[in-house]
Each structure stands twice: as C-alpha cells, then as structure tokens.
Amino acid sequence: MFSIRFSLPTKIVFEIGSISRVGYEVEGLGKKALIVITRGGSMIKFGYLGNVRLSLEARGIKYAVYNNISSNPKADEVEKGVEFAEKEKCDFIIGLGGGSAIDAAKAIAATLASGKPFIKYLRKEKEISAAYPIVAIPTTHGTGSEVDKYAVVTDTERKAKISIISCYIYPKVAILDPETTVTLPPQLTAATAFDALSHALEAYVNRSTNSLARMFAAEAIKNIAENIEHAVKHGVNITIRTKLLWASMLAGLAIDLVRTALCHAMEHPLSAFYGHVHHGLGLSILLPAWIKYTLESAKKDFAEIAEIIGLKTEELTIEQAAQSVYNYIVDLRRTIGLDFKLRDLGVKVKDVDAMVENAFTYMKPLIENNPRIPTREEMKNIYMEAY
Ligand SMILES: [Fe+2]
C-alpha cells in the first residue's frame, strides 16, 4: 500500500553567504541566543562565529557562547549547557558547526523547555514535551541534523551513544551556507561525506523505506558519488561543496522519514567506546562489511544504487550489479584516503563482544530496520571483517 506521512516544520535557507544573514532569518525567535559550538575552535578560527555574532548584533539580538562540547557530545556537557543558558537567560538556541554542535543545541533546547535533568530523556525515563526554538547552521556536509528530529548524545556512565527522537527538536530554521564548508580539511571532508553517504544508502535499502525517502536518498547518493573525490582534492571549489551540502541535507530528510539501519547501529557503540573516533570515519570503516553482509537480502536495491552511482551495469546480472556497489565503496575509500581498519583507530579485539552487546541493548530498532537482521555472532563477524 502506498502511504507517506511527511511534514517538516523547518524553514530551510540554502544559499551562499547566508551565514551573514542569520540575524534576519531568526527574527522573532527570541531576544537572546545561546550559540553552541564545539571545543575545537574552528568556528572561531575561520570567522563563522564572528559572522553569526555580527549578524545578530545588527538586529539587536543578544547572545552568549557555549563552547564546552566535544566531537561526540556527552550528557554532562549538555547539562552544563542548560545551566549556562539559564544563567544567561537565553530564550533560543543556535547550533553552529557539525552534527555535534547541532545535536547538543537540540538537547539543550529540549531540556530547557521540558525540565531538567537531560539524562532522563536520554535514558527514556521521561518524554520531551517542548523545546526552545532551535536554529541549525551546519558547517560540515555530513549529519543532516539541521532537518531532522534526532539528537545523538553519549551517556558516558553507560558507555552508550543514544539518539533522542522528538518532533519538538526539529530546528525552526536551518541555514545552509556552502561557503562555511570550504575550510573542512580533506580527511573531514571525506569522513563527513561518508556519513551522508551512509545515511542515503541505509535509507534506500532499509525495511521502513518509502518512495519519498528513496527520492531524497537517490539524489544524495548521485551528488556524493559525483563530487566526493573532487571535494577531497579541491576543497575550495564552491560548486562542489554546494552539491555535497545539498546531498547531506537530502540524506538527512531521508533518514528523518525512515531512519538508518545496521551500519549506524554498529557505529554508535564504536564511537561510544572510543570517543576519539569520528562518526563518519567509523561508518566508512564499517560500510564495506555492512554492504557485504546486507547484499543478499537487498540485491535489487543495491543494483538500483549501482545505476544511481553511474556504474556500468548494462551487461551485468542483478547480483553482479549489486556486488559492484561493494567494489565501488572499497575503491572509493582508497581514492579519498579513508582506507582504514578498526585496528588503525586503536580498537581492541577484546572490546568487540561488548560492542555487539551494546548494539543489541541500545540500537535494536536500527538493527531490525536492516534488510538482513544479524545474530550476535554475525554482527561480531561484521566487526571483525572491518578489523
Ligand atoms: Fe550518521
């Protein structure tokens, strides 16, 4: 039966130079913004924070900056952000940066309006019932968090990276300025594009998928395949960056509709156990093993993906066409300098069983959304294939 439900309460502003018009675009959302950025300092170094500040000042909007967020945001960093926002009397939240800053902004906004402490929402002991207005300004082309209802935060005590899901945490405004992505260094360019690619691939083949999600995912896959290599080699090319940012937003819409699947279910334990592992990098390592495992239950879908990527499939059987996606991903990882294995990231074999257990405890819905659903033993084999 053909059935689609889709509503997006987010105003999307996708335009070169739009970061300098933040003040105008957020008019009416509040009097004082909490600007959430990560500790890394790139938002300051490249002037993006300065652009946002000037733009807010020009409209008479006050702000306070909270920069205590790590690259895999932690629950206590969110709790401290909530305290800080209360002290500063902020009434709306701006997430500026990659998915970490945006997701932390969402978590802070929800806790401010629904009541403390944040950990209760993360542990599903309490439901989010409201959120302060959220503005998302992505400066990477990876998460798509600017257009979805998810926020991923790590519960350090339980060593679990968990998604909170709520319609209240859709950003009110998403400002996508391709110019802010040109400063991404080559490895982060590749890793964040791989996050978006994983979103699109998982959304295309998973059990919940539908025509609209596939339309978004297909367009995302096509744009990433056409541009990822150039972006890594010629990062300043604004046309290429525009296409990648566009693709990551579309992949975000796809997973907002139908979620991800097994590859994400297995990456979350990885970056929960090893906090230094970048989400996109973790995915790029698991992706070939995930495709290899999933292929036999989604041959037709992967054969379609081969065509979307532009691989030569005319003389191939469906099985061969599907297999060509695996070969393509393996080659692509090498070409763009992401040819790593889990062991290169310092992952220990002795942790693999615990990561499997962690996935089955916290990531069950995504595991069960995969075309082929693994046993614990099979999941272990997938991790070991990527080792
Ligand atoms: Fe992701």
Side-chain angles (χ1 to χ4, degrees):
M1 194 180 70
F2 191 89
S3 154
I4 302 271
R5 277 176 186 75
F6 182 56
S7 81
L8 188 71
T10 306
K11 172 173 85 172
I12 296 170
V13 180
F14 190 112
E15 200 171 63
I16 292 172
S18 52
I19 193 167
S20 302
R21 289 192 297 281
V22 172
Y24 168 75
E25 300 295 349
V26 305
E27 199 110 65
L29 289 186
K31 292 192 174 68
K32 186 171 181 181
L34 178 78
I35 306 175
V36 180
I37 57 174
T38 53
R39 272 195 290 271
S42 55
M43 292 304 105
I44 298 166
K45 184 173 142 198
F46 296 120
Y48 305 140
L49 179 63
N51 286 340
V52 172
R53 291 164 78 144
L54 281 175
S55 174
L56 292 175
E57 280 165 16
R59 291 270 155 178
I61 300 167
K62 296 193 177 74
Y63 56 81
V65 179
Y66 181 64
N67 70 348
N68 187 27
I69 298 291
S70 42
S71 62
N72 284 308
K74 301 181 181 75
D76 66 302
E77 296 167 347
V78 170
E79 308 278 19
K80 284 180 194 141
V82 172
E83 302 291 334
F84 182 71
E86 281 179 337
K87 195 177 108 232
E88 292 288 332
K89 298 194 169 47
C90 298
D91 53 6
F92 73 109
I93 318 295
I94 298 177
L96 170 67
S100 323
I102 296 172
D103 286 4
K106 287 174 166 179
I108 292 169
T111 311
L112 282 167
S114 305
K116 294 185 275 187
F118 168 69
I119 195 78
K120 284 203 184 291
Y121 307 109
L122 197 60
R123 292 182 176 172
K124 320 278 184 223
E125 292 162 8
K126 213 175 149 193
E127 285 265 322
I128 291 167
S129 55
Y132 281 18
I134 299 159
V135 178
I137 312 175
T139 62
T140 69
H141 34 61
T143 63
S145 185
E146 68 277 8
V147 289
D148 72 34
K149 56 182 171 293
Y150 312 124
V152 180
V153 178
T154 301
D155 181 338
T156 13
E157 228 171 87
R158 293 187 179 174
K159 250 192 183 180
K161 203 174 155 183
I162 297 165
S163 301
I164 53 169
I165 307 170
S166 166
C167 287
Y168 295 105
I169 61 171
Y170 278 111
K172 284 270 181 288
V173 185
I175 293 168
L176 297 103
D177 182 349
E179 244 166 28
T180 63
T181 64
V182 299
T183 42
L184 273 177
Q187 198 182 80
L188 263 183
T189 296
T192 60
F194 246 85
D195 184 18
L197 182 60
S198 291
H199 293 161
L201 293 173
E202 289 174 73
Y204 197 93
V205 305
N206 75 34
R207 284 170 185 255
S208 316
T209 199
N210 62 37
S211 303
L212 190 57
R214 283 194 165 180
M215 193 184 84
F216 290 139
E219 185 68 8
I221 293 167
K222 183 172 167 285
N223 275 285
I224 295 167
E226 283 173 0
N227 295 289
I228 187 169
E229 227 182 294
H230 298 293
V232 172
K233 289 178 183 147
H234 313 286
V236 293
N237 186 316
I238 193 70
T239 310
I240 288 167
R241 293 291 191 180
T242 301
K243 288 178 177 167
L244 286 183
L245 187 61
W246 178 238
S248 74
M249 187 198 81
L250 294 174
L253 291 172
I255 61 168
D256 184 55
L257 277 157
V258 299
R259 303 203 69 180
T260 53
L262 181 61
C263 197
H264 267 70
M266 292 181 63
E267 197 293 316
H268 281 202
L270 176 60
S271 43
F273 277 57
Y274 298 93
H276 65 281
V277 173
H278 181 274
H279 173 58
L281 184 61
L283 289 166
S284 74
I285 293 174
L286 296 170
L287 204 62
W290 169 71
I291 295 176
K292 199 180 209 182
Y293 174 79
T294 304
L295 264 185
E296 68 170 55
S297 300
K299 282 179 205 153
K300 193 171 157 284
D301 298 336
F302 277 104
E304 285 173 17
I305 290 170
E307 272 186 48
I308 293 164
I309 293 171
L311 303 174
K312 290 203 183 335
T313 55
E314 300 88 37
E315 284 160 24
L316 302 182
T317 62
I318 287 190
E319 283 79 8
Q320 289 168 329
Q323 176 66 29
S324 69
V325 176
Y326 171 82
N327 301 339
Y328 165 79
I329 294 290
V330 170
D331 290 345
L332 179 63
R333 279 170 23 108
R334 205 169 297 134
T335 325
I336 61 174
L338 281 189
D339 197 12
F340 299 105
K341 294 293 227 173
L342 291 178
R343 72 165 79 92
D344 301 320
L345 304 183
V347 175
K348 306 258 185 316
V349 177
K350 67 172 176 54
D351 283 341
V352 172
D353 282 328
M355 281 170 16
V356 169
E357 218 36 61
N358 188 286
F360 273 88
T361 307
Y362 299 107
M363 295 286 129
K364 205 96 186 270
L366 296 186
I367 296 172
E368 289 173 351
N369 203 24
N370 207 54
R372 187 175 171 199
I373 301 173
T375 61
R376 282 172 168 74
E377 198 53 40
E378 285 174 329
M379 186 185 284
K380 186 177 178 181
N381 293 340
I382 302 171
Y383 276 124
M384 292 316 293
E385 168 94 24
Y387 199 83

